[in-house]
Amino acid sequence: MGRQRVLSGVQPTGNLHLGNYLGAIRNWVEIQSQYDNFLFIADLHAITVPHEPATLAANTYTLATLYLACGLDLNHSTIFVQSHVSAHSELTWLFNCITPLNWLQDMIQFKEKAVKQGENVNVGLLDYPVLMASDILLYKPDKVPVGEDQKQHLELTRDIVNRFNHQFAKPNQPVLKLPEPLIRKEGARVMSLTDGTKKMSKSDPSELSRINLLDSPDEIAKKIKRCKTDPIRGLEFDNPERPESNNLLTLYMLLSGKTKEEVAAECQDMGWGQFKPLLTDTTIEALKPIQEKYQAVMNDKGYLESVLRDGKQKAEAIANQTLNEVKAAMGYSIPL
Ligand code: ATP
Ligand code: MG
């Protein structure tokens, strides 16, 4: 039979950085041909925290374009915008009515984010995992790649499947399919430029801590110039006392395509003053093809919109069918 269907979503918030690329996207691109991939831009999830209407659409375009620029191939992947397929919202309502409140109140991510939002916690933040369950179950995927922070939400999705099938499906004829987690080979862990013990992340308040995929050569040069180092001459991997040395060498290795041994030998006697320009040039060169492709797609809005329109059509055909099956099982059966 065909390839396994895999689904994943990304929120259109913040810029993608080298950690996202080297730790996740690049590995995904490498194995994409083994699967039938569905990738959606999670713009409904993006409003569970206060958001800026003026930039939502632009961020959505940017993210879709970046994925194409990083090598996502439309022969293997369907890219679509979550809010374009209304079945996501509709199924969420149906699931809301079978999901116990305390399941959601127990979600770690809700508790953490609710603390940050103080008194203004909205229902959407609590309901986020139910929307995620809908996102997944509409497509009946074989596998769902989940990071550590989403494991609990996938468990909740599986609980919803079992509850729904138990309440509404005929014995041995499940309506919803239990999704399995896809455990991926861990990509490289890229650390912050300002602290080699912290991971590079979108939510770090300091721009200097990360290199974004769309940073200009000047920005890249500035960030590397200012990045944290240590007073020791000669660079080395795997010395726990020198996290910055390990991180920056790892970046150089991944971006240059050289082996660890080659990099270790090349840099063992180098001072930081010699290494930083080398890393800067290598980073600029490695990001150049991504940035060029990004510009080319961005300059052709018509093409980009046609990609998202095709994605919507393909996604909607599958999603609406599942939604209809769910509604029928729940008793919504009056013909139009
Ligand atoms: P946030 O700070 O909002 O959590 P993030 O920078 O951690 O953002 P995510 O959107 O959470 O980015 O992660 C997207 C993907 O990139 C995930 O697969 C995640 O594992 C991977 N990733 C994120 N940061 C890094 C990093 N520093 N090194 C390697 N992989 C990373
Ligand atoms: Mg994260």
Side-chain angles (χ1 to χ4, degrees):
M1 280 294 289
R3 290 166 298 167
Q4 289 200 319
R5 185 179 295 158
V6 174
L7 176 103
S8 88
V10 270
Q11 285 198 40
T13 42
N15 242 314
L16 294 178
H17 51 73
L18 278 180
N20 298 138
Y21 179 60
L22 298 170
I25 303 170
R26 197 164 86 162
N27 310 308
W28 189 246
V29 165
E30 261 172 40
I31 58 163
Q32 63 179 328
S33 61
Q34 297 169 26
Y35 298 100
D36 179 23
N37 302 282
F38 280 74
L39 178 79
F40 65 94
I41 314 294
D43 60 346
L44 295 174
H45 285 283
I47 65 166
T48 54
V49 293
H51 85 289
E52 190 54 66
T55 54
L56 184 62
N59 288 343
T60 302
Y61 279 129
T62 298
L63 197 58
T65 306
L66 265 177
Y67 271 84
L68 290 170
C70 287
L72 216 82
D73 180 343
L74 295 171
N75 289 315
H76 306 300
S77 304
T78 301
I79 305 182
F80 66 100
V81 178
Q82 185 186 27
S83 65
H84 286 174
V85 181
S86 59
H88 289 250
S89 304
E90 193 173 347
L91 187 60
T92 300
W93 175 255
L94 302 176
F95 284 167
N96 274 340
C97 297
I98 63 155
T99 307
L101 185 58
N102 66 333
W103 286 7
L104 300 178
Q105 286 166 330
D106 285 345
M107 293 290 118
I108 296 162
Q109 208 177 75
F110 170 70
K111 289 185 197 161
E112 284 174 2
K113 290 197 179 171
V115 171
K116 277 196 205 154
Q117 280 194 30
E119 287 184 4
N120 289 322
V121 178
N122 61 49
V123 177
L125 190 66
L126 178 72
D127 207 23
Y128 175 113
V130 181
L131 178 58
M132 183 171 149
S134 306
D135 297 334
I136 295 170
L137 298 174
L138 281 171
Y139 299 92
K140 301 184 177 171
D142 299 288
K143 297 270 171 69
V144 184
V146 275
E148 207 40 59
D149 52 346
Q150 295 296 338
K151 269 194 185 145
Q152 201 186 23
H153 293 164
L154 188 67
E155 270 313 306
L156 182 107
T157 300
R158 292 171 57 89
D159 289 342
I160 290 176
V161 169
N162 288 328
R163 195 173 169 94
F164 185 94
N165 285 336
H166 178 74
Q167 284 189 18
F168 298 112
K170 299 199 182 88
N172 302 321
Q173 287 180 275
V175 175
L176 298 171
K177 174 168 162 173
L178 266 183
E180 300 292 334
L182 175 65
I183 311 297
R184 273 183 289 168
K185 195 175 70 152
E186 270 297 302
R189 203 167 142 83
V190 177
M191 311 309 278
S192 158
L193 294 184
T194 47
D195 179 351
T197 62
K198 256 178 37 188
K199 111 183 168 53
M200 186 178 284
S201 105
K202 276 183 251 170
S203 47
D204 191 314
S206 167
E207 265 299 319
L208 288 175
S209 70
R210 64 184 157 263
I211 292 175
N212 298 313
L213 298 187
L214 296 176
D215 278 351
S216 68
D218 283 351
E219 284 167 318
I220 294 170
K222 184 178 94 182
K223 288 175 179 178
I224 294 179
K225 204 164 178 185
R226 299 216 193 148
C227 76
K228 188 172 175 203
T229 55
D230 57 29
I232 303 170
R233 195 183 165 79
L235 279 73
E236 56 187 326
F237 283 106
D238 302 323
N239 180 344
E241 317 241 288
R242 303 185 65 194
E244 285 79 22
S245 169
N246 185 62
N247 185 42
L248 296 171
L249 276 189
T250 303
L251 274 182
Y252 177 54
M253 172 183 83
L254 293 169
L255 294 169
S256 66
K258 294 179 182 172
T259 64
K260 191 168 175 179
E261 291 69 34
E262 283 167 343
V263 168
E266 183 183 351
C267 304
Q268 62 182 347
D269 299 320
M270 262 186 206
W272 290 106
Q274 197 185 349
F275 176 74
K276 280 185 171 186
L278 178 65
L279 178 61
T280 302
D281 291 345
T282 307
T283 307
I284 292 171
E285 274 310 301
L287 292 184
K288 203 165 158 192
I290 294 177
Q291 297 186 349
E292 284 173 357
K293 176 107 197 269
Y294 177 86
Q295 273 317 327
V297 176
M298 267 299 178
N299 290 338
D300 191 351
K301 264 284 174 59
Y303 167 72
L304 181 56
E305 283 167 1
S306 77
V307 168
L308 297 179
R309 208 173 315 121
D310 289 352
K312 171 196 151 116
Q313 266 180 9
K314 267 179 81 179
E316 208 165 40
I318 300 171
N320 285 351
Q321 180 165 347
T322 307
L323 179 65
N324 287 338
E325 289 164 11
V326 167
K327 286 173 79 173
M330 292 179 85
Y332 292 98
S333 56
I334 298 180
L336 282 175

